[in-house]
Amino acid sequence: MKTEVRFMLAIGLMLLVLVGTNLIFPPVVPDEALQPDSVATEVESPAPQQADRDPVLPPSVGATPGVGTEDLEVGPLEEERLTVEGPLYRFTFSDVGARLVSAEMLGFRALNRDGLVDLIPEGAGGYLGQKLLVGTDTVDLTRVRFQVDPASGVFLTDGGGPRELRFSYQHPTRAFGMELTYEFRPEAYQVLVRGTVTGVDRPLLLTELGDGVSFAEADSAGEARAMAYVFNHVRDGIESRPLTKAQPELVEGPLLWSAFKSKFFVMALLAGESEAGASETDYLGGLLVGPSELGDRVRVTTAQSIRADGTFSYRLFMGPQDYGRLSSLGEDMQEVNPYGWRFFRPIVRPFVSVIMAILTFLHSQFSLGYGWVLIVFGVLMRVVLWPLNQKAMRAQLKNMAVQPLLQEIQAKHKDNPERLQKEMMKLYKEHGFNPLAGCWPMLLPWPVLIALFFVFQNTIQLRGEAFLWLPDLSAPDPLYILPVFMGASMFAMQYVSMKTVPQTNQQMKMMMYIMPVMMVFIFFNLASGLNLYYATANIATIPQQIWINRERKKMQGATLGTLPKKG
């Protein structure tokens, strides 16, 4: 069962118990798209680690009289690697094919092995290699040596300006060349790419986005479910394809961006040079999704038209799924790993933003670890909702006092529905009777619980945060202590709550025992931080419930006449 389905089942069960028991047992929340025939031959394995020849050019590309393709072969070339390092990342490029062979995140350690998170899987052979489609012919530049400037690589300093890394290739016998310029900024994971192609008339640019993001989490099964390639179509919007179900396909454009994502990281290629938005001439033409040599993955290649002057540009983002950073890219890039289902996002998103602001404030201002932050947040939630709980208690007492009159009306007019409805409305107006009044204030914490579920699903700030015996608050408790404790706290809360409810029937008692067991079963594989918050909120509710029970005992002797009428 999927984690999201398991969680929503828990929410449904809790709502059923909360509302159902209150009702049943009253207390007595562009360019032309890439065409299949033009790219059908482009499904290839990753580029090898050395160059063995210059590209075989069709006769129309930079032709020189008397030179044929048999004159283009050169001997094997050993690749050289160079590094771009800044405060946030360390990228390693190869001069063969101008390919990216490593993308290390300096602020994040891998949780499934020693070392830093490297977005490129081992054995992938390099990403971002370039090919040109000229008619039905392909010019493969992933296996040729580029000249690099600066040859020593690039080092970015905190607070410094942007730096460039330039790759250039010129065919030795043809008037054909290509230049790629990467612009890096020390404070951003975004990279601006500009390029120029000479000696060929407006070919189609094919950029290999690669085979996906590498595994870096301790929970490999949960991370595998999050792995996907995502794209944003100009007309149809954002679509995601889980890698566990991905098949070779041709995605027709125009597209605003394409990306690979894991649970917490993303590699994306965006059309255009700035967050102001891509123009129609810069849209991605489509995606070619083919088989990968890395097992249960696919290899994605993006297509983009080159401008009439031979230039092209796009942006890269290679980094964590930080909502603020992704939002700054524009084109709804923050929705690459959205919170919940599409129809649910407008409801959940505001709660997520507010909750993350509160958690971040408590973490930074009071120097608290996120585990303690969640405990404080759980207690604060109950303190803030205390007046609503009091209101719910008083509503329950009023409903309890009205029950004899309600039963009398129902018995008297059981054969006359119309009269029954009128008498019930009259009862409501006179005494403010509302069967849901006692439970609706209790529903308010639930959007917070749902929002926290999605916060722990893919919020990078909580990744790898340890607390007591828990190695990672965004992952399940490896010892299953918290889910059991959460179930016990839920039982204790229900037990205290029912102590002063008169005429507790057998069904209610059975639910008090069964519900915590079901919740343990559902929550045992959810994020330990979510269990910590929910258990804390339950424990914080018990003192409030004891106080409410005392007030209830004082008011149980009240009759309907002693309770104030509405208005």
Side-chain angles (χ1 to χ4, degrees), residues 6-25 29 344 347 435-436 438-450 490 493-494 511 515 518-519 522-523 534:
R6 183 189 294 270
F7 179 72
M8 294 311 296
L9 176 61
I11 294 298
L13 286 172
M14 287 189 285
L15 282 172
L16 179 63
V17 171
L18 182 61
V19 179
T21 54
N22 202 56
L23 290 174
I24 301 173
F25 312 117
V29 171
F344 212 50
I347 302 173
L436 295 179
C439 66
W440 73 262
M442 302 178 191
L443 298 179
L444 292 181
W446 294 38
V448 176
L449 182 63
I450 295 172
M490 187 175 186
M493 182 181 66
Q494 290 182 341
M511 188 62 69
M515 188 65 182
M518 294 179 65
M519 294 301 292
I522 292 172
F523 271 67
Y534 194 33

Side-chain angles (χ1 to χ4, degrees), residues 78-82 93-99 144-148 167:
E78 295 294 333
E79 73 171 353
E80 294 183 4
R81 296 190 173 186
L82 54 147
F93 288 86
S94 169
D95 65 341
V96 175
R99 293 171 295 111
V144 302
R145 167 164 285 179
F146 283 75
Q147 298 297 316
V148 186
F167 293 89

Side-chain angles (χ1 to χ4, degrees), residues 381-402:
M381 279 295 301
R382 289 305 177 182
V383 171
V384 170
L385 293 174
W386 170 237
L388 292 176
N389 289 335
Q390 284 184 300
K391 185 175 182 179
M393 181 268 293
R394 292 192 175 96
Q396 287 177 343
L397 291 173
K398 179 176 288 189
N399 289 346
M400 181 166 45
V402 173

Side-chain angles (χ1 to χ4, degrees), residues 71-236:
D71 301 311
L72 302 182
E73 296 187 7
V74 297
L77 297 174
E78 295 294 333
E79 73 171 353
E80 294 183 4
R81 296 190 173 186
L82 54 147
T83 300
V84 177
E85 183 169 350
L88 301 176
Y89 50 75
R90 181 166 55 238
F91 298 148
T92 303
F93 288 86
S94 169
D95 65 341
V96 175
R99 293 171 295 111
L100 180 67
V101 296
S102 176
E104 294 178 290
M105 303 287 102
L106 300 184
F108 303 95
R109 301 199 66 81
L111 303 180
N112 60 348
R113 55 179 173 77
D114 293 331
L116 299 170
V117 170
D118 189 344
L119 302 185
I120 298 181
E122 185 177 354
Y127 288 9
L128 306 180
Q130 308 281 354
K131 298 178 183 178
L132 298 174
L133 195 65
V134 184
T136 57
D137 296 311
T138 301
V139 179
D140 188 352
L141 296 168
T142 63
R143 294 176 293 169
V144 302
R145 167 164 285 179
F146 283 75
Q147 298 297 316
V148 186
D149 180 30
S152 59
V154 172
F155 184 79
L156 302 164
T157 58
D158 193 8
R163 297 284 304 278
E164 292 184 349
L165 181 67
R166 184 173 294 104
F167 293 89
S168 56
Y169 171 79
Q170 180 62 51
H171 197 279
T173 59
R174 302 278 190 100
F176 167 76
M178 184 178 192
E179 184 175 283
L180 276 170
T181 301
Y182 291 87
E183 182 182 293
F184 305 92
R185 288 181 286 176
E187 76 286 356
Y189 292 96
Q190 180 181 221
V191 180
L192 176 59
V193 184
R194 303 185 186 92
T196 304
V197 177
T198 57
V200 60
D201 185 23
R202 299 198 69 177
L204 192 66
L205 177 68
L206 304 177
T207 304
E208 295 179 337
L209 189 56
D211 305 272
V213 181
S214 65
F215 283 81
E217 309 305 318
D219 180 15
S220 58
E223 190 177 17
R225 289 191 295 269
M227 293 285 188
Y229 68 92
V230 193
F231 54 89
N232 188 357
H233 194 280
V234 171
R235 181 184 65 253
D236 301 328

